C-alpha cells in the first residue's frame, strides 16, 4: 500500500535535504529492511548490516528516480534484494552457499538430539525459495509486490511460493523423521 506520509517525507528531504525528514523515513522502514536482510543472510549479522547500509545509500542516490508506482517499502526491499544478489555473486559467496545446500540435501543419519530446526531447513532452501518465503510468509508482502521486487511475473511468485513450501516440508520432514 502506498503511503502518502512517505511521499511527503521523501519530497521534503529532496527539496530541503532536511535531516529530520530522512530520519523519519529511515525509522519508518529500518525494521522491515533489517528483517528481510537478516533472513536472506541466514542470520549473518555482519553481512546483513553491510547489505542494509548499502541499501540505504543506494536508495538515497536513486530516490529522485522513484516513480511512486509501488510503496516506498516495496521499493526499498527491491533494492535490498538486488544488493543481496550482488553479494552472493561476489567472492564466490553463491558458490559456497550452493555447496552447503548440496551437502545438506544429502541424507545423513542425524541423531535426534542434533539441533536441526526450522532455521536450518530454511537455510538449505534454494535462494529463489528463500526470497519468496521471506517476502510472502514472513514479511507479508503480496505477490504483486514480490513480483515487482524480484523482477518476475506475479504467477511466478505464486508458483515459487508453492514449490518453496513443498521443499521446506519435505526437508523438514526428513530432519524430524531421523
Amino acid at each position: 500500500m502506498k503511503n502518502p506520509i512517505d511521499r511527503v517525507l521523501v519530497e521534503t528531504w529532496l527539496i530541503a535535504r532536511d535531516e529530520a525528514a530522512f530520519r523519519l523515513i529511515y525509522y519508518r522502514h529500518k525494521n522491515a529492511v533489517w528483517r528481510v536482510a537478516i533472513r536472506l543472510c541466514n542470520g549473518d549479522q555482519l553481512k546483513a548490516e553491510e547489505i542494509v547500509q548499502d541499501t540505504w545509500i543506494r536508495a538515497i542516490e536513486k530516490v529522485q528516480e522513484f516513480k511512486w508506482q509501488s510503496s516506498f517499502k516495496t521499493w526499498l526491499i527491491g533494492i535490498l534484494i538486488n544488493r543481496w544478489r550482488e553479494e552472493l555473486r561476489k567472492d564466490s559467496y553463491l558458490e559456497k552457499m550452493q555447496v552447503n545446500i548440496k551437502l545438506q540435501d544429502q541424507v545423513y543419519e542425524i541423531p535426534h538430539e542434533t539441533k536441526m530446526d526450522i532455521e536450518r531447513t530454511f537455510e538449505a532452501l534454494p535462494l529463489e525459495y528463500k526470497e519468496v518465503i521471506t517476502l510472502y510468509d514472513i514479511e507479508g508482502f503480496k505477490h504483486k509486490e514480490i513480483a515487482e521486487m524480484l523482477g518476475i511475473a506475479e504467477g511466478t511468485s505464486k508458483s515459487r511460493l508453492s514449490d518453496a513450501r513443498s521443499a521446506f516440508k519435505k526437508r523438514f520432514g526428513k530432519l524430524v523423521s531421523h
Side-chain angles (χ1 to χ4, degrees), residues 124-139:
L125 292 174
L127 303 175
E128 64 270 9
Y129 290 177
K130 287 172 62 173
E131 290 173 343
V132 75
I133 284 178
T134 297
L135 296 171
Y136 189 88
D137 286 335
I138 297 171
E139 293 301 320

Side-chain angles (χ1 to χ4, degrees), residues 7 33 42 49 55 61 77 121:
R7 190 169 195 156
V33 171
N42 296 326
E49 286 172 6
T55 296
E61 291 172 349
I77 300 297
T121 304

Side-chain angles (χ1 to χ4, degrees), residues 1 32 35-36 73-74 131-146 149:
M1 177 179 197
R35 281 191 313 266
V36 173
K73 181 168 114 176
T74 299
E131 290 173 343
V132 75
I133 284 178
T134 297
L135 296 171
Y136 189 88
D137 286 335
I138 297 171
E139 293 301 320
F141 286 102
K142 304 291 183 222
H143 286 291
K144 182 177 180 180
E145 295 171 309
I146 295 168
M149 288 177 207

Side-chain angles (χ1 to χ4, degrees), residues 40-44 47-48 51 84-100 127 130:
L40 294 176
C41 293
N42 296 326
D44 182 339
K47 186 68 65 187
I51 290 171
W84 175 68
R85 287 175 175 174
E86 288 172 14
E87 192 64 27
L88 292 176
R89 289 188 295 270
K90 186 176 99 180
D91 299 330
S92 301
Y93 192 73
L94 177 60
E95 183 180 327
K96 291 176 190 173
M97 287 192 67
Q98 288 175 334
V99 167
N100 288 339
L127 303 175
K130 287 172 62 173

Side-chain angles (χ1 to χ4, degrees), residues 26-90:
Y26 173 79
Y27 284 112
R28 286 177 53 78
H29 300 289
K30 70 177 184 144
N31 291 337
V33 171
W34 174 253
R35 281 191 313 266
V36 173
I38 198 72
R39 284 264 176 215
L40 294 176
C41 293
N42 296 326
D44 182 339
Q45 291 190 358
L46 290 176
K47 186 68 65 187
E49 286 172 6
E50 178 183 337
I51 290 171
V52 166
Q53 182 177 3
D54 288 349
T55 296
W56 282 104
I57 290 169
R58 290 178 185 194
I60 292 305
E61 291 172 349
K62 301 275 188 189
V63 72
Q64 70 277 1
E65 298 169 21
F66 181 49
K67 300 198 182 339
W68 298 98
Q69 295 172 340
S70 65
S71 74
F72 190 72
K73 181 168 114 176
T74 299
W75 182 72
L76 279 173
I77 300 297
I79 293 171
L80 175 104
I81 289 169
N82 287 330
R83 178 59 188 90
W84 175 68
R85 287 175 175 174
E86 288 172 14
E87 192 64 27
L88 292 176
R89 289 188 295 270
K90 186 176 99 180

Side-chain angles (χ1 to χ4, degrees), residues 97-118:
M97 287 192 67
Q98 288 175 334
V99 167
N100 288 339
I101 288 168
K102 286 178 185 173
L103 289 173
Q104 290 179 10
D105 277 347
Q106 296 176 12
V107 178
Y108 294 102
E109 290 298 320
I110 301 170
H112 183 65
E113 63 271 5
T114 303
K115 294 182 179 180
M116 299 299 280
D117 59 3
I118 292 172

